[in-house]
């Protein structure tokens, strides 16, 4: 069967699909986005598309990929006139549209000079990023990790193509400064509390390492870093999803995106340039994003990490299947209730209602999010989502059985005796954390001594260490199902 190809020429042949009504020939972009994965395309690019559908404007996105493997996205998008399909799914229905708000894509590794041309173009107003938590090259206290290999490369090879987002920004801003271009706003869209503040601090620390006082002064005067909170569950796209699109709608897209129907974006009102009128779409522009960020990272993102390892040890492949299990479901809810007491009240937000909404979203059977995806990059995720809540609780002498189960499950999962072809460990610190885990089945001290993840106040808390050791022992000897059941029955 022949399928219609996704490109501008064939758009009129698509049936039952929303297509762009705005100008697809405008390729001079006012937004540069680094890290064009599924999430960006289901979130920020979707918001701009929706805004352009209401009223065309000059706003367009130029995507950029920093990693060697991002060349695949470059080829796929350019072959489709930079369009792609977004399918937003509820449990019993779906909404499908062609997104055209990304009008260009640059693979930084192979097109660095083109990237700098866009970066220094006076038309550029906003740079946004979704480079994941590990992309900030940070220590566990959110400062620049100067020992990180990529940072070392970028600090000592100013004339080479940068390997990190931090290096890309530092050298790009410097060239923009030298070109006399207009001010700039840089907006992190990653799951990091205070992400704008964190990005600015780490970037300035990089510049301090370079001893470039002029660049530091320029950044402080002419570059803004608003924080924001973003939310939309967006799993990886499987080959089955690609085939589903072809068979159900009759056209071919090499890089479609499937997401849940829920979406949220809260942005700090701290811009020094004009910006799209996102608030017309329900985006909240607020004075202080931090309480919303902490709510989301500790409950949603932390809830995902809490769900991951008990579910993997229980043999679940998909998140919705795990959440249909009453024991897993109740455990995740209990984890969120344990953590919610660390949150600051937000006017108009009911945390109990928010938790129930999250549980419903996790159970969405249309998404088929893989539990393995939630387990990726967990060393960074634990630093961002779980450890801050743990510190608050142990400093208050509060009990932390749910967090202890999560970390114990992680240690057991990482242990070599449990690892096989189905138990992948996709983490930038994979070797280090697995070695520590293998030596922590009887005494967790070595694992808690991982300075990149655990601060001394966790390592030195004897009550928590004892609780964690007991949890590890129970999981190994009784099994994860028995442990979860026992804990839930005590509530």
């Amino acid at each position: 069967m022949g399928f219609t190809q996704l490109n501008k020429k064939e758009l009129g042949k698509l049936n039952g699909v929303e297509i762009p009504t705005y100008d697809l020939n405008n390729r001079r972009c006012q937004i540069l986005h680094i890290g064009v994965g599924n999430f960006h395309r289901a979130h920020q690019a979707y918001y701009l598309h929706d805004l352009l559908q209401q009223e065309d404007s000059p706003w367009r996105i130029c995507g950029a990929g920093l990693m060697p493997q991002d060349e695949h996205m470059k080829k796929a998008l350019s072959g489709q006139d930079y369009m792609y399909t977004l399918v937003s799914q509820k449990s019993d229905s779906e909404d499908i549209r062609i997104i055209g708000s990304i009008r260009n894509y640059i693979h930084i590794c192979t097109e660095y000079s083109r990237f700098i041309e866009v970066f220094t173009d006076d038309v550029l107003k906003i740079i946004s990023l979704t480079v994941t938590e590990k992309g900030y090259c940070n220590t566990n206290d959110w400062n620049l990790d100067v020992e990180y290999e990529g940072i070392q490369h970028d600090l000592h090879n100013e004339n080479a193509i940068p390997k990190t987002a931090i290096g890309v920004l530092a050298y790009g801003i410097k060239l923009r400064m030298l070109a006399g271009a207009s001010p700039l706003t840089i907006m992190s869209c990653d799951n990091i509390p205070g992400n704008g503040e964190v990005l600015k601090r780490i970037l300035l620390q990089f510049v301090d390492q370079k001893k470039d006082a002029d660049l530091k002064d320029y950044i402080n005067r002419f570059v803004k870093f608003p924080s924001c909170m973003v939310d939309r569950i967006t799993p990886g796209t499987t080959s089955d999803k690609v085939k589903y699109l072809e068979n159900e709608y009759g056209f071919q897209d090499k890089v479609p995106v499937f997401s849940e129907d829920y979406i949220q974006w809260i942005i700090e009102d701290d811009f020094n340039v004009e910006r799209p009128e996102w608030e017309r779409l329900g985006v909240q522009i607020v004075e202080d994003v931090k309480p919303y960020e902490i709510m989301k990272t500790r409950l949603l993102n932390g809830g995902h990490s809490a769900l991951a390892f008990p579910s993997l040890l229980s043999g679940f492949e998909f998140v919705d299947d795990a959440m249909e299990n009453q024991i897993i479901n109740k455990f995740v809810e209990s984890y969120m209730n344990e953590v919610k007491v660390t949150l600051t009240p937000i006017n108009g937000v009911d945390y109990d209602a928010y938790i129930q909404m999250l549980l419903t979203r996790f159970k969405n059977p249309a998404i088929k999010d893989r539990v393995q995806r939630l387990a990726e990059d967990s060393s960074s995720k634990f630093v961002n989502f779980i450890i801050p809540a743990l510190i608050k609780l142990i400093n208050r002498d509060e009990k932390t059985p749910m967090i202890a189960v999560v970390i114990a499950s992680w240690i057991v999962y990482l242990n070599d005796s449990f690892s096989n072809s189905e138990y992948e460990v996709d983490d930038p610190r994979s070797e280090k954390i697995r070695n520590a885990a293998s030596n922590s089945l009887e005494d967790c001290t070595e694992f808690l001594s991982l300075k990149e993840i655990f601060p001394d106040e966790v390592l030195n808390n004897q009550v928590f260490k004892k609780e964690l050791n007991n949890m590890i022992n129970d999981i190994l000897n009784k099994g994860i199902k028995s442990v979860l059941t026992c804990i839930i029955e005590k509530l």
Side-chain angles (χ1 to χ4, degrees), residues 312-327:
L312 287 168
L313 294 179
S314 300
F316 289 104
E317 181 180 1
F318 295 104
V319 173
D320 61 299
D321 292 334
M323 290 298 291
E324 284 295 335
N325 180 281
Q326 291 186 357
I327 297 173

Side-chain angles (χ1 to χ4, degrees), residues 13 21 35 77-78 81 142 154 170 183 205 224 246-247 265 289 292-293 319 342 353 359 368 383 437 439 444 462 486:
K13 298 180 180 179
T21 58
L77 285 179
S78 62
D81 292 323
W142 290 108
D154 292 351
Q205 288 171 347
K224 291 287 189 178
E246 294 172 351
N247 295 330
W265 197 2
V289 175
Y292 298 93
E293 291 174 326
V319 173
T342 70
L359 296 173
K368 302 309 293 183
V383 169
N439 294 323
C444 62
Q462 298 305 312
C486 182

Side-chain angles (χ1 to χ4, degrees), residues 135 269 321 345 473:
D269 191 8
D321 292 334
N473 181 69

